Amino acid sequence: MPNENKSNSITDGFHLVVDALKLNGIDTIFGVAGIPITDLARLAQAEGIRYIGFRHEQSAGNAAAIAGYLTKKPGICLTVSAPGFLNGMVALANATTNGFPMIQISGSSDREIVDLQQGDYEELDQMNAAKPYTKAAFRVSKPEDIGVGVARAIHAAVSGRPGGVYLDLTADVLAATLDKDAANQSLVRVVDPSPRQIPDPESIKRAIDLLASAQRPLIILGKGAAYAQADDAIRSFIEKTGIPYLPMSMAKGLLPDNHKQSAAAARSLVLSQADVVMLVGARLNWLLAQGKGPHWSPTAQFVQVDISPTEIDSNRAIAAPVVADIGSAMSGFLAALKPGQIQPKAAWIDAIAERKQHNTERMAARLDASPSPMNFYSSLRAIRDVLANRPDIYVVNEGANTLDFGRDIIDMHQPRKRLDCGTWGVMGIGMGYAIGAAVVSGKPVVAVEGDSAFGFSGMEIETICRYHLPIVVVVFNNGGIYRGDDVNRSGGADPSPTVLMKDARYDKLIEAFDGTGHNVTDPRSLTKALTVALASGKPALINCVIDPTAGTESGHLQNLNPQSQVSSGKNN
Ligand code: ADP
Ligand code: TZD
Ligand code: MG
């Protein structure tokens, strides 16, 4: 408890941190309390910052990261020293990899003891441990530097390509007292921390000329485009030029997935045949086969719109780089574009339409089948149909097959509503992202989870129930990583490495916390359970039992999964 008897002219590090955050519009902290930041969490709450307490720092960090992505303000994760700090680091590194603005604030132990490795409680050189995984890492060693430390962390998190920032606060700094007037003077209100980056008009002209010369142009929208919140300008440019576009998974919904220019259902055709490709907030990383190989035309030329100048030419030569923030770039394109200047050839549009129709019909046949037990198609069709009437709902999606099928089957109609494993293909983001999205938006969330994926953050259903969040978790229970029917090749009694508990009842977990559990085995019951759960606005978990043989190993990533070519056993 703060000492009420102390003079009003004295403040301390705890108060200063809260003041610095509030001064800069931070209204939410996600964390796990303990030495030395318990009083910081308590004080933040007392001073009107919403504090959401988690069961594990990784989920708190994931919530902060996605809050940052959705709001363009740094999401704050608060952790205790050493192990708590390290637990949060996976989320902080993931935020950096994905370009989400986040600050992990961690308390740390006594610097003198840590640096001489004299064995302090929770001893770890946290700032240096954080450095390789973050966009920036800072340590505050004097209470009068708290204001500058917070300001630097905010600038680093949201400027340019956003990312994860580490801010180390020693226990001494938190507890230190100082004169209140001097302390107030030391606070910094950041001005314009993510300044617009106006494109060079020459770069816009070069890009438009290249697009105008194209026979088969294509636009690829990535999550940077979604993050930029330049939705109208992006849509307007796409519609004015008539160029077909492909959304990366988290850019789905930037334009509604049923938009006639969407080439998502003709993905392999457009990637392999486009002659000019415009990347908007999307990297040519593994998710796009680095722009190489049989997926791509070797002669395709590229426009790349990105805020990060060093992204250009990272995998393929970029003929027309436009280094700018996407909002400014798109305004520049719209201002420079002359009517009719860019016109994809009719043959290109027709070829895409034909392939889309073919693929959509093939997909419809699979979606309409009703096998028993359910498979990914029939169960996701049920979810898709319920969500079709609720474009406001956030969809979190993780797993392998559950992710790949979910991305293809569940249509998004609004920007930034789909949140998934992202650039790292990481499991464990599920409950953190769901909680972060629900907290900052006040909107319902449906988390579509593989049974393995769910396990990484499953304990957070207690957090969901404790804060009464409108989150419905659907666990795709196929009894394993990828599938539930693999066997132990030694013939022993232990299950195979990819197999999980058969007939597990995940729905019963949430009942322990007074949430509602549903167990469903057919699409009709799934539709009903999801509809009822969403109507209630309360936490629910649906154990969705599907065919253990429905998935494939590694989902759509079989090409990345090395397999032994040599048979095992003593005959080798
Ligand atoms: P995806 O996984 O959807 O393909 P990536 O995360 O690979 O997307 O790429 C996002 C890109 O967007 C990054 O290169 C990043 O620098 C860029 N970016 C992020 N925010 C902005 C912005 N406001 N303006 C321009 N580019 C941005
Ligand atoms: N650990 C972490 C942090 N991230 C990972 N991606 C993995 C392990 C490896 N992994 C995948 O790449 S997908 C997956 C794991 C464990 C789980 C797939 O099983 P699932 O989904 O039940 O979630 P499906 O629907 O059964 O394929
Ligand atoms: Mg599974």
Side-chain angles (χ1 to χ4, degrees):
M1 286 290 291
N3 186 343
E4 302 295 340
N5 296 328
K6 272 193 184 153
S7 147
N8 275 345
S9 63
I10 296 291
T11 188
D12 62 13
F14 290 112
H15 283 82
L16 258 187
V17 175
V18 172
D19 292 346
L21 294 174
K22 281 179 68 178
L23 182 67
N24 288 295
I26 302 295
D27 53 16
T28 310
I29 293 176
F30 306 92
V32 177
I35 296 172
I37 48 86
T38 309
D39 237 13
L40 183 58
R42 209 183 265 139
L43 184 71
Q45 188 176 54
E47 296 287 325
I49 293 181
R50 189 159 192 213
Y51 180 83
I52 306 289
F54 284 72
R55 306 304 298 260
H56 191 288
E57 292 85 354
Q58 193 179 121
S59 291
N62 284 323
I66 215 65
Y69 170 71
L70 293 172
T71 63
K72 300 183 89 174
K73 287 196 302 192
I76 308 290
C77 173
L78 184 62
T79 61
V80 305
S81 13
F85 154 82
L86 283 174
N87 282 344
M89 276 306 296
V90 172
L92 193 66
N94 186 56
T96 306
T97 304
N98 281 279
F100 301 156
M102 167 180 169
I103 301 172
Q104 180 175 336
I105 300 178
S106 189
S108 59
S109 304
D110 196 314
R111 292 265 286 114
E112 288 83 358
I113 303 178
V114 170
D115 287 351
L116 275 173
Q117 299 173 32
Q118 294 174 310
D120 203 359
Y121 169 72
E122 298 194 341
E123 176 182 295
L124 184 73
D125 180 3
Q126 294 170 192
M127 183 184 67
N128 286 306
K131 266 186 188 159
Y133 308 109
T134 50
K135 200 177 157 195
F138 304 104
R139 176 160 51 218
V140 177
S141 300
K142 290 195 303 204
E144 53 271 38
D145 286 341
I146 287 172
V148 165
V150 168
R152 298 210 71 188
I154 293 173
H155 281 286
V158 298
S159 60
R161 176 188 289 166
V165 176
Y166 177 59
L167 183 62
D168 192 284
L169 302 176
T170 63
D172 284 351
V173 161
L174 289 169
T177 53
L178 66 170
D179 175 75
K180 204 170 189 173
D181 289 340
N184 285 341
Q185 299 266 333
S186 72
L187 292 177
V188 178
R189 186 200 295 268
V190 301
V191 177
D192 196 17
S194 42
R196 288 195 299 160
Q197 291 196 23
I198 311 293
D200 182 342
E202 274 301 305
S203 70
I204 296 278
K205 182 174 179 312
R206 192 162 45 222
I208 289 184
D209 287 348
L210 183 58
L211 286 166
S213 74
Q215 308 282 311
R216 298 179 303 282
L218 172 70
I219 292 174
I220 298 182
L221 299 175
K223 59 174 145 7
Y227 175 79
Q229 300 198 12
D231 310 338
D232 291 345
I234 291 170
R235 182 169 184 156
S236 177
F237 181 75
I238 288 177
E239 290 182 341
K240 280 206 168 104
T241 58
I243 300 176
Y245 74 94
L246 204 56
M248 300 302 288
S249 68
M250 282 179 59
K252 275 165 66 80
L254 207 42
L255 285 78
D257 273 338
N258 58 4
H259 194 282
K260 71 176 185 348
Q261 284 171 254
S262 168
R267 184 184 164 92
S268 51
L269 175 92
V270 291
L271 286 185
S272 61
Q273 299 203 2
D275 62 351
V276 176
V277 180
M278 178 182 191
L279 300 162
V280 183
R283 285 170 285 186
L284 276 180
N285 58 15
W286 66 279
L287 288 156
L288 287 167
Q290 275 87 21
K292 295 172 189 146
H295 303 279
W296 287 91
S297 159
T299 55
Q301 291 191 283
F302 287 84
V303 175
Q304 182 160 29
V305 184
D306 206 291
I307 203 158
S308 169
T310 54
E311 186 57 35
I312 308 303
D313 293 338
S314 54
N315 285 286
R316 270 187 74 158
I318 304 295
V322 178
V323 175
D325 72 275
I326 285 164
S328 302
M330 285 302 157
S331 307
F333 277 116
L334 286 168
L337 188 67
K338 301 188 193 94
Q341 193 179 2
I342 297 177
Q343 243 163 8
K345 295 279 176 284
W348 176 232
I349 304 299
D350 292 347
I352 296 170
E354 204 173 295
R355 179 68 70 91
K356 265 174 78 171
Q357 193 184 345
H358 172 79
N359 287 348
T360 309
E361 281 166 10
R362 213 171 52 170
M363 180 65 121
R366 290 174 178 157
L367 290 171
D368 291 344
S370 270
S372 178
M374 281 189 283
N375 60 12
F376 287 100
Y377 292 105
S378 57
S379 46
L380 282 161
R381 180 197 59 196
I383 293 177
R384 178 196 71 179
D385 291 348
V386 173
L387 294 182
N389 302 317
R390 293 295 307 271
D392 59 316
I393 289 180
Y394 286 86
V395 175
V396 170
N397 193 191
E398 64 173 336
N401 295 279
T402 305
L403 175 83
D404 293 333
F405 285 104
R407 181 182 54 238
D408 290 347
I409 294 171
I410 302 175
D411 290 332
M412 305 310 298
H413 303 278
Q414 291 181 8
R416 293 171 295 283
K417 293 291 183 180
R418 185 186 156 83
L419 313 170
D420 66 27
C421 303
T423 307
W424 252 356
V426 67
M427 300 298 118
I429 49 89
M431 299 304 101
Y433 280 10
I435 293 168
V439 165
V440 297
S441 71
K443 295 269 196 269
V445 180
V446 172
V448 179
E449 301 272 312
D451 50 355
S452 165
F454 172 68
F456 287 74
S457 65
M459 192 64 203
E460 302 298 343
I461 54 175
E462 189 274 334
T463 310
I464 292 171
C465 292
R466 184 161 27 98
Y467 289 94
H468 310 289
L469 297 171
I471 296 173
V472 182
V473 182
V474 185
V475 176
F476 273 62
N477 190 345
N478 62 356
I481 298 175
Y482 315 130
R483 41 198 289 151
D485 62 344
D486 199 29
V487 294
N488 178 340
R489 292 180 199 179
S490 80
D494 285 347
S496 139
T498 59
V499 161
L500 297 170
M501 172 81 77
K502 198 170 145 53
D503 301 327
R505 288 289 302 271
Y506 294 98
D507 51 310
K508 294 195 174 176
L509 285 175
I510 200 166
E511 290 173 358
F513 310 113
D514 223 13
T516 307
H518 302 262
N519 184 47
V520 304
T521 54
D522 63 86
R524 193 189 291 251
S525 337
L526 175 54
T527 303
K528 189 162 164 234
L530 184 55
T531 308
V532 167
L534 285 171
S536 80
K538 296 197 175 124
L541 191 152
I542 302 172
N543 184 50
C544 176
V545 181
I546 60 166
D547 186 348
T549 69
T552 49
E553 179 151 328
S554 305
H556 291 184
L557 302 181
Q558 285 149 52
N559 57 321
L560 301 180
N561 183 38
Q563 294 210 294
S564 168
Q565 301 303 315
V566 181
S567 60
S568 58
K570 43 181 179 279
N571 295 336
N572 286 332

